[in-house]
Each structure stands twice: as structure tokens, then as C-alpha cells.
């Protein structure tokens, strides 16, 4: 009998001939796949050996295959930008990241846009551009809406949490950190969990809850090792060492941070190394090893100077000024404080301005340039800051418990829904099996059931991916504390989302299905439309601001706008994030007011000029207030020389020389008792039995 099986040698020859006859496109595809694999390998390498990864990223950028897609080009640019960020080449990194963003935007590559945003954000921090950080942080979250990239989403939530913390929005920062943790637990990805534990650790550490912070940083180190990222492992060690230092465990702190510094030196990321050197120098100062501390601080300062990192240089200069103070070198201390203060004005952020202003005030106090009262005001400010941190600590625990409870409840609800769906699905399968079993042969039924089982597995996998994507999308939206709109180019609202139960801008029904002209003043609408037009031209817009006077006060909002991907024949739609920055604006105004007052004090201006500046400054910060400062005469019996520029002259003349005593108006009573006096109704209160006619004629009805 003749063997009909194919000849193996003949098969091999035929296959080889077919392979050699394939068009060049197929061979190029193999090369492109290899190139893509190399990009992923080098991205992992960047977390462990930065200089080598930088060279490899340059090589891959120069060797992009001819058949690479625009998405591949954006990915290569983002890889190069990330290695440049780690190499402290901030300007080059921002340039390549912006090219990647432009390319990804043109080709509706949302993951590429988000990755470029993250690289721009890291470069912006290194360059001290906090406003750019705010814009790209919110834009990256908007781009990841519905995109199944938990690694990018985890890092984006961490950067957004830190961004909110830098701008003083504590609740928003904690919300982001906890939502990131919830998403990380669902993904069970080591890198995502590393970012999430870092965010939670920072939030707990900065609110003085060290035990909880240590727990998260320990888990961060564990997950960083699982994710094979030495940079993040060293960051976790640095944070653990800083906590040990605060707790007075100096030997443990020294060991942990020395290990972190050794890892950073080997990995070759300059700014990460500088942070480790900074932390190690602080421990050496605590041990009285000043010479070693100066060596490390000088190295950190050289790194920041050599790579134009204003924020890092600000921290390092202030740390070295304290080290100079420890050894009694007042001239060197003054030089570092003044240089840091100049950097603070360049950064123009309340955090850095406030700290540098107080340090300059401390130098002036040491020189005897102001009175003891001012020195006491500095101590009072420090005590107030400590009290504020204690309140923040309680708020951190409250938010953490609240979101943990919510997370558990959501998991229970999802399990209940899943159980009900499974029971319904099982019932349907049983009925179909019984029906088909009665009309089909046993063999055909077996084949059908095998095919049905395979289809169900595929369907379950698809449903699982869909559910994960929906959960990530909803968690991302819930994590954003700002108000989100979907608008057309004409200002018509197609969608609305807010994690708040109310909207300060206007009620929800005022927007959906209507245009901005139906809900906002003309000036605000023009600003919004200009942001939409700018986004239509450039792909995104950020920083445009408008004010609204509402029944409960005046509020300021800042817009971040990104173009939403729609079909080729559809009108353009935009995602608009409206952030309430009223508190930030008030803080900036208050900082300017306080700085102006300090300038008057240091400049030797007259007391009436200083007091009038204070009165006008308080009235500007609180427009509903009319303020007055009265001075005590030399005998301590009357109030004279009133500073009240907003009160009518006849009223000021009437209260000039008023007697100090209980029942003599609000001011006379307060001066006599040394206590706070609040009168809710001048017309009926006994303190104003004499003088109420003048007060009422001046338009006053209550007095604090």
C-alpha cells in the first residue's frame, strides 16, 4: 500500500519557497514587531539604568522602521522624552514630549497623548512651571477616560494628587490618592500598585500620620521590586528613612537613605540622587556631622544648578542655610536665604513665597530691624501652621476611612449584581440545553455544548474587559473633583459630570441641552468660547480664567480644554474642566497683602500709613467688611486717631476720643475688657444706647 502522508522534506522546501516569495511588507512587519518589543524593553530599562536607556532610546528613535505607524513614532518620542526627564535634560524632554503630543493628537492616540502629558508634567516640575503641571495633569486624566492603560492611569492619578497638594487643595489630593489605590487593587499590577502606595504614603506623611505612611511606603518598596523599578524602590527607601528621622531613629534612617543613595547613583538619575543626598544631609545634621552634610548639600546644589531645577535648588539652598546657621556662619546663611527668596519670586507660588518671606523676616529680626511684637507674630504664625497640620491630619484619616468604606460597599454591590447575572445566565443555559437535548442527537449535542462553552468563555472575557474599562472610566471621572462639561464649538452642552452634589457655577439643568449663553454672563461665555477656539486650533487650552458673582460670593474658575475624538463627519466636541480656584486666588491676594505689609514695616513707614495699608488690604480681601483701627491715648483712657478710610467723616469725627469703658460702644467695651465683642444689631444693643443714631446714619447695622 502506498503511503499518502506528506514528505517532511518536501513540506519544508515548499514553506521556505513561499516565505522567500512573500512581499517585502511581511518581512518589514517582523522587523517592526521586533522594534516595538525593543521599545518596551528600553522603557523598563529606564527604571534601572538611565544612561544606557537614554542611549538605547536615541538608537530606537533613529532606527524607526519605514512601515512604522504614527502611533509608533509618538511612542518613540515619549520613550526618548522619559529617559531625558530621568537624565535631567528637562528642555529636551519637554520638546520631544510636545512633538509626541502633537503627533498623538493628530492621530487620535489618546494613550500617546496621556503619556506625553506625563512627560511634560515631570519636565515642568523640574523647570518650576507649576501652571503647566496643572494643565497637563488634568488633560492626561481626560485622555485616559475609557482607555485600558492602568499603568498610565496609575501614574496620572499620582501626578494629579501631588499637583493638587502643591496648590493647597488637600481634599482633592487625598481623593485622587485613594481612587488611585482602588483602581490599583482592581488591576493587581505591581507598577500601578507602586504608584498608588506612593500617593497614599505622601498624603499620610504630609498630614503627620507617620504609622500609616510607613505602611504604604513599605508596600511601595515591595511592589517596586515586583515591578523591577530601582528608581521607585529607592524613592520608597528615602521616604522610609525620612519617617525614621522624624521618629528619632537616626541609625535606621541613615541606613535606609544610604541604601537609597547607592541605588540612585547606580541608576544614574540626577534629580532622584539629589533628593536622596538632601535627605541624607538632613540626618547628618541631626547627628552633628556638619562637614559631611555640607559635602552632600553642595553636591545636590551643583546638580540642581547644572540642570536649571529651580524648585530643587530652592529646597537645597534653604537646607544649606540651616546648616550654616548650625555652625554660626551668618554671612553664608544670609546669602543662601536671599538667593532662595529670589528663586521663590521667580516661581511665584504661595508655598515658596511664604516660606522665604518668613526666613527673610528671621534674618531681619536677628539684625534688630523690627520690634519684639513682630518676632512674636512669627512664632504665632508657626503655631498656627502646626494647628492647621493637626486639623489636616484628622481630615486625612476621615477621608481615608470614608473612601475605604465606600470602596467596600461598591465591591459588595458589584458582587451582588454579578451573582444575580450569573444566576440568570445559568437558568438560560439550562433551558437551552434541555430544549436542544430533546431534538438533537447526543453526539451533535456534545459538539454544540463544547462550542457553546468556548463561546461563553470568550464572551465572559470580553464582558470582563468591558466591565474593567467601564469601572476605570467611572473611577477616573469620580477621582476628578472639578466640574466637567462636554461642549460643542458653539458652546452647546452635551454632557455634564461633577463629583459634587451641586455646582457652584450654575444648576445642572441650566447647562445640558443648552448653550453657555443660557447659563453664564456674556464675559464668562466669551472666555469659554475663546478657549474652545484655541483648542480647535492647537489641540488643547489651559489657563483661561473667569469670575462669577454668585449669591454666596464671588468665585474664580480656571479652564482646561481638550478636544474629544469624534467621527470624521461629526462636529467637533470638547472636554472642558472648570476648576474652582477661588481659594488659590484668595491665598495669592493674601500673600501680596502680607508681603506689602512687611515691606512697609521693614521700610520704616509711619504707623498711620502702615495701619491704613492694613485696613485697605483687609477690606480688599473681604469686600463685605468696613474696617477701622483705633489707637489708645497715652493715658490709656480714650481711643483716638482712627484709621477708617471707608467710613464717613462725620462718623470718624463722632468717635474720636471715645472713652474706654464697658458699655461704651463695641470698641470701648472691647478695649476695656480685652475680649472679642460682637453686636448683631446696633439699633437694639445696650452697648450702643449712646451713639447708635450716628452709626445707623453711617449705614452700620452690626459690629465685630
Amino acid at each position: 500500500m502506498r503511503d499518502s502522508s506528506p514528505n517532511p522534506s518536501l513540506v519544508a522546501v515548499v514553506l521556505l519557497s513561499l516565505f522567500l516569495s512573500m512581499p517585502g511588507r511581511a518581512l518589514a512587519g517582523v522587523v517592526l514587531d521586533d522594534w516595538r518589543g525593543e521599545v518596551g524593553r528600553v522603557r523598563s530599562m529606564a527604571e534601572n539604568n538611565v544612561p544606557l536607556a537614554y542611549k538605547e532610546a536615541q538608537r530606537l528613535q533613529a532606527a524607526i522602521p519605514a512601515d512604522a505607524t504614527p502611533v509608533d513614532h509618538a511612542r518613540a518620542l515619549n520613550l526618548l522624552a522619559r529617559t531625558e526627564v530621568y537624565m535631567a535634560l528637562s528642555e529636551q524632554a519637554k520638546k520631544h514630549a510636545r512633538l509626541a503630543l502633537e503627533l498623538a493628537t493628530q492621530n487620535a492616540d489618546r494613550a500617546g497623548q496621556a503619556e506625553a502629558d506625563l512627560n511634560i508634567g515631570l519636565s515642568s516640575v523640574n523647570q518650576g512651571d507649576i501652571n503647566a503641571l496643572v494643565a497637563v495633569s488634568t488633560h492626561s486624566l481626560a485622555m485616559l477616560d475609557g482607555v485600558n492603560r492602568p499603568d498610565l492611569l496609575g501614574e496620572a492619578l499620582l501626578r494629579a494628587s501631588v499637583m493638587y497638594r502643591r496648590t493647597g487643595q488637600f481634599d482633592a489630593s487625598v481623593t485622587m490618592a485613594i481612587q488611585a489605590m482602588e483602581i490599583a487593587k482592581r488591576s493587581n499590577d505591581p507598577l500601578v500598585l507602586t504608584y498608588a502606595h506612593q500617593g497614599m504614603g505622601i498624603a499620610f506623611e504630609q498630614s503627620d500620620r507617620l504609622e500609616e505612611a510607613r505602611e504604604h511606603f513599605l508596600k511601595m518598596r515591595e511592589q517596586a521590586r515586583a515591578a523591577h523599578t530601582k528608581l521607585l524602590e529607592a524613592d520608597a527607601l528615602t521616604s522610609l528613612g525620612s519617617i525614621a528621622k522624624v521618629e528619632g531613629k537616626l541609625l535606621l534612617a541613615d541606613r535606609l537613605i544610604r541604601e537609597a543613595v547607592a541605588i540612585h547613583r547606580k541608576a544614574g538619575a540626577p534629580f532622584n540622587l539629589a533628593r536622596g543626598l538632601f535627605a541624607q544631609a538632613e540626618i547628618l545634621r541631626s547627628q552633628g556631622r556638619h562637614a559631611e552634610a555640607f559635602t552632600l548639600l553642595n553636591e545636590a546644589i551643583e546638580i540642581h544648578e547644572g540642570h536649571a531645577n529651580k524648585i530643587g535648588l530652592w529646597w537645597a539652598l534653604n537646607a544649606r542655610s540651616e546648616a550654616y546657621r548650625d555652625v554660626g556662619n551668618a554671612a553664608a546663611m544670609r546669602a543662601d536665604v536671599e538667593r532662595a527668596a529670589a528663586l521663590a519670586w521667580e516661581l511665584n507660588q504661595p508655598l515658596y513665597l511664604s516660606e522665604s518671606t518668613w526666613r527673610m523676616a528671621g534674618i531681619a529680626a536677628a539684625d534688630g530691624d523690627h520690634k519684639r511684637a513682630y518676632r512674636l507674630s512669627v512664632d504665632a504664625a508657626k503655631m498656627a501652621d502646626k494647628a492647621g497640620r493637626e486639623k489636616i491630619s484628622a481630615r486625612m484619616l476621615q477621608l481615608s476611612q470614608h473612601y475605604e468604606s465606600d470602596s467596600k460597599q461598591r465591591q459588595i454591590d458589584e458582587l451582588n449584581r454579578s451573582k444575580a447575572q450569573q444566576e440568570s445566565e445559568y437558568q438560560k443555559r439550562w433551558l437551552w440545553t434541555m430544549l436542544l437535548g430533546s431534538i438533537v442527537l447526543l453526539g451533535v449535542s456534545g459538539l454544540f455544548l463544547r462550542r457553546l462553552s468556548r463561546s461563553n468563555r470568550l464572551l465572559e472575557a470580553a464582558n470582563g474587559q468591558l466591565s474593567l474599562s467601564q469601572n476605570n472610566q467611572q473611577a477616573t471621572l469620580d477621582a476628578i473633583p472639578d466640574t466637567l462639561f462636554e461642549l460643542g464649538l458653539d458652546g452647546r452642552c452635551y454632557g455634564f459630570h461633577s463629583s459634587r452634589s451641586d455646582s457652584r457655577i450654575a444648576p445642572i439643568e441650566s447647562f445640558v441641552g443648552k448653550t453657555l449663553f443660557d447659563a453664564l454672563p456674556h464675559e464668562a461665555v466669551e472666555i469659554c468660547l475663546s478657549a474652545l477656539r484655541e483648542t480647535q486650533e492647537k489641540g488643547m487650552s489651559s489657563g483661561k480664567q473667569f469670575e462669577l458673582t454668585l449669591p454666596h460670593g464671588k468665585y474664580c474658575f480656571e479652564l482646561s480644554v481638550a478636544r474629544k475624538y469624534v467621527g470624521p463627519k461629526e462636529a467637533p466636541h470638547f472636554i472642558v474642566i472648570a476648576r474652582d480656584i477661588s481659594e488659590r486666588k484668595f491665598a495669592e491676594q493674601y500673600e501680596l497683602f502680607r508681603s506689602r505689609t512687611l515691606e512697609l514695616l521693614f521700610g520704616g513707614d509711619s504707623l498711620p500709613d502702615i495701619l491704613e495699608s492694613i485696613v485697605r488690604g483687609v477690606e480688599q480681601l473681604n469686600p463685605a467688611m468696613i474696617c477701622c483701627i483705633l489707637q489708645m491715648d497715652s493715658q490709656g483712657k480714650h481711643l483716638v486717631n482712627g484709621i477708617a478710610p471707608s467710613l464717613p467723616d462725620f462718623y470718624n469725627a463722632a468717635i474720636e476720643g471715645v472713652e474706654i469703658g464697658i458699655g461704651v460702644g463695641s470698641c470701648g467695651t472691647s478695649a476695656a475688657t480685652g475680649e472679642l465683642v460682637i453686636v448683631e444689631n446696633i439699633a437694639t444693643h445696650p452697648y450702643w444706647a449712646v451713639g447708635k443714631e450716628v452709626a445707623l446714619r453711617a449705614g452700620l447695622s452690626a459690629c465685630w
Side-chain angles (χ1 to χ4, degrees):
M1 177 178 272
R2 187 177 174 183
D3 187 3
S4 61
S5 61
N7 186 319
S9 299
L10 179 60
V11 171
V13 170
V14 171
L15 289 177
L16 179 60
S17 300
L18 288 173
F19 180 75
L20 292 175
S21 65
M22 286 180 180
R25 181 72 180 175
L27 290 173
V30 175
V31 174
L32 179 58
D33 288 341
D34 291 343
W35 180 88
R36 288 170 176 166
E38 283 290 288
V39 171
R41 181 185 66 82
V42 174
R43 178 63 186 88
S44 299
M45 181 192 298
E47 298 293 320
N48 301 279
N49 188 336
V50 178
L52 180 57
Y54 178 46
K55 292 180 181 178
E56 289 290 283
Q58 290 176 309
R59 178 182 64 81
L60 290 171
Q61 173 68 20
I64 296 179
D67 58 339
T69 67
V71 173
D72 292 319
H73 282 270
R75 190 179 177 198
L77 285 167
N78 273 322
L79 172 64
L80 182 58
R82 180 55 67 107
T83 58
E84 287 168 338
V85 166
Y86 289 167
M87 286 289 292
L89 304 173
S90 303
E91 191 58 40
Q92 294 174 229
K94 184 176 285 189
K95 174 185 174 182
H96 288 128
R98 283 175 173 164
L99 289 173
L101 178 62
E102 182 179 351
L103 193 58
T105 302
Q106 291 171 355
N107 292 275
D109 174 17
R110 300 172 69 185
Q113 292 180 66
E115 191 171 5
D117 283 328
L118 292 173
N119 289 329
I120 293 172
L122 290 170
S123 301
S124 299
V125 172
N126 293 341
Q127 293 179 320
D129 189 353
I130 303 302
N131 292 329
L133 170 66
V134 172
V136 296
S137 295
T138 52
H139 186 255
S140 65
L141 289 173
M143 288 300 97
L144 289 171
D145 181 8
V147 176
N148 188 20
R149 284 292 301 273
D151 56 329
L152 291 179
L153 182 58
E155 184 178 1
L157 288 169
L158 170 64
R159 305 303 175 204
S161 175
V162 174
M163 176 269 292
Y164 278 119
R165 187 74 193 212
R166 286 178 183 274
T167 55
Q169 302 177 71
F170 178 77
D171 283 16
S173 172
V174 175
T175 299
M176 283 286 187
I178 296 174
Q179 292 285 9
M181 178 57 68
E182 186 174 335
I183 292 172
K185 288 179 178 178
R186 292 179 185 175
S187 73
N188 202 31
D189 182 283
L191 181 60
V192 183
L193 285 165
T194 302
Y195 287 134
H197 283 299
Q198 184 177 18
M200 291 295 293
I202 291 172
F204 275 117
E205 182 183 17
Q206 292 186 344
S207 52
D208 290 337
R209 303 202 65 87
L210 300 184
E211 189 61 39
E212 292 90 341
R214 181 192 297 106
E215 180 181 348
H216 280 289
F217 286 130
L218 285 170
K219 292 179 179 178
M220 176 190 171
R221 179 177 62 175
E222 176 185 343
Q223 293 298 333
R225 287 173 173 172
H228 306 294
T229 164
K230 286 292 185 181
L231 290 181
L232 291 175
E233 179 186 347
D235 286 343
L237 288 168
T238 301
S239 298
L240 288 168
S242 297
I243 292 174
K245 173 185 174 295
V246 173
E247 294 176 329
K249 303 173 183 177
L250 297 183
L251 292 178
L252 173 61
D254 186 60
R255 179 177 63 79
L256 290 169
I257 294 181
R258 283 183 184 276
E259 183 179 352
V261 169
I263 292 174
H264 281 314
R265 286 194 188 279
K266 187 175 181 181
F271 291 154
N272 297 65
L273 173 60
R275 286 193 293 271
L277 295 172
F278 178 91
Q280 188 178 356
E282 289 295 288
I283 293 173
L284 293 173
R285 279 185 54 221
S286 301
Q287 297 173 324
R289 298 157 66 182
H290 299 296
E292 296 172 75
F294 276 119
T295 299
L296 298 181
L297 288 171
N298 290 338
E299 183 180 356
I301 287 173
E302 287 177 6
I303 291 173
H304 292 309
E305 287 176 333
H307 297 91
N309 187 327
K310 295 179 182 178
I311 292 179
L313 183 57
W314 182 86
W315 284 103
L317 286 170
N318 282 325
R320 192 172 69 177
S321 73
E322 293 177 357
Y324 279 130
R325 181 196 61 198
D326 292 343
V327 298
N329 191 338
M333 178 190 74
R334 179 192 300 272
D336 277 352
V337 169
E338 290 176 347
R339 190 177 169 195
L343 285 171
W345 282 106
E346 291 181 30
L347 293 168
N348 195 28
Q349 292 294 321
L351 169 67
Y352 309 108
L353 284 170
S354 176
E355 180 66 23
S356 284
T357 300
W358 288 119
R359 288 178 184 271
M360 292 294 293
I363 290 178
D367 292 342
D369 286 350
H370 61 277
K371 298 180 181 179
R372 181 172 179 271
Y374 179 67
R375 292 197 298 272
L376 292 175
S377 72
V378 174
D379 293 337
K382 290 180 180 178
M383 288 186 287
D385 178 65
K386 181 178 182 297
R389 289 175 63 83
E390 290 171 352
K391 291 178 183 177
I392 287 175
S393 174
R395 180 63 173 154
M396 174 69 207
L397 187 59
Q398 176 188 354
L399 285 168
S400 177
Q401 293 171 344
H402 168 73
Y403 279 102
E404 183 177 357
S405 174
D406 282 357
S407 176
K408 290 179 180 177
Q409 186 59 50
R410 283 193 292 272
Q411 293 174 12
I412 292 172
D413 292 342
E414 289 174 4
L415 288 173
N416 289 334
R417 284 195 297 272
S418 176
K419 180 180 178 182
Q421 292 172 354
Q422 288 177 355
E423 290 175 352
S424 175
E425 186 66 25
Y426 289 151
Q427 290 176 358
K428 292 178 182 177
R429 292 179 188 175
W430 174 252
L431 291 173
W432 276 108
T433 303
M434 292 296 294
L435 177 61
L436 294 173
S438 65
I439 60 175
V440 184
L441 294 175
L442 183 61
V444 176
S445 298
L447 177 61
F448 176 78
L449 288 174
R450 285 195 296 273
R451 290 181 177 178
L452 179 62
S453 176
R454 180 175 178 274
S455 298
N456 284 335
R457 287 196 300 271
L458 294 174
L459 181 60
E460 287 175 1
N463 287 334
Q465 288 295 325
L466 177 60
S467 176
L468 176 62
S469 177
Q470 290 174 338
N471 288 339
N472 285 344
Q473 177 180 351
Q474 187 59 46
T476 301
L477 290 174
D478 292 340
I480 299 176
D482 307 311
T483 304
L484 278 75
F485 303 91
E486 181 178 345
L487 300 178
L489 191 57
D490 61 351
R492 184 169 299 280
C493 182
Y494 296 95
F496 178 95
H497 177 83
S498 176
S499 56
R500 297 168 55 98
S501 58
D502 65 320
S503 170
R504 279 183 174 170
I505 300 177
I508 295 176
E509 59 271 14
S510 300
F511 286 108
V512 179
K514 303 178 182 179
T515 68
L516 295 177
F517 290 99
D518 299 323
L520 298 177
H522 180 77
E523 294 80 2
V525 173
E526 286 301 321
I527 293 172
C528 294
L529 293 180
S530 68
L532 296 179
R533 290 191 292 268
E534 181 179 354
T535 305
Q536 175 71 357
E537 297 173 0
K538 301 180 180 179
M540 64 180 294
S541 174
S542 62
K544 293 188 183 296
Q545 301 175 3
F546 64 88
E547 287 188 351
L548 289 180
T549 301
L550 305 175
H552 38 291
K554 181 179 288 186
Y555 292 89
C556 187
F557 298 90
E558 185 175 74
L559 300 176
S560 294
V561 187
R563 191 163 51 204
K564 179 181 179 181
Y565 176 74
V566 294
K569 296 183 179 180
E570 296 183 43
H573 282 201
F574 305 89
I575 300 298
V576 180
I577 298 177
R579 176 174 301 106
D580 182 356
I581 59 170
S582 307
E583 293 183 3
R584 191 180 88 193
K585 284 291 185 181
F586 181 85
E588 291 172 357
Q589 293 173 1
Y590 176 77
E591 194 61 37
L592 289 174
F593 161 62
R594 191 165 65 104
S595 298
R596 172 59 180 161
T597 303
L598 291 174
E599 289 175 4
L600 294 175
L601 286 169
F602 295 152
D605 289 54
S606 66
L607 181 59
D609 288 343
I610 295 173
L611 296 180
E612 181 173 350
S613 175
I614 292 173
V615 168
R616 291 188 183 278
V618 173
E619 289 179 342
Q620 185 178 1
L621 290 170
N622 303 276
M625 283 184 165
I626 299 176
C627 300
C628 172
I629 296 179
L630 298 173
Q631 302 178 56
M632 185 184 294
D633 66 4
S634 57
Q635 289 77 32
K637 295 181 178 181
H638 298 87
L639 298 176
V640 297
N641 300 329
I643 306 297
S646 298
L647 286 169
D649 292 339
F650 70 83
Y651 180 83
N652 290 331
I655 65 172
E656 176 67 20
V658 67
E659 184 180 356
I660 296 176
I662 298 176
V664 184
S666 299
C667 297
T669 304
S670 180
T673 62
E675 297 177 352
L676 174 67
V677 173
I678 298 176
V679 171
E680 296 182 355
N681 191 338
I682 289 176
T684 60
H685 200 282
Y687 287 174
W688 286 85
V690 177
K692 66 181 178 182
E693 291 81 5
V694 176
L696 295 174
R697 187 157 64 93
L700 305 179
S701 57
C703 180
W704 170 25

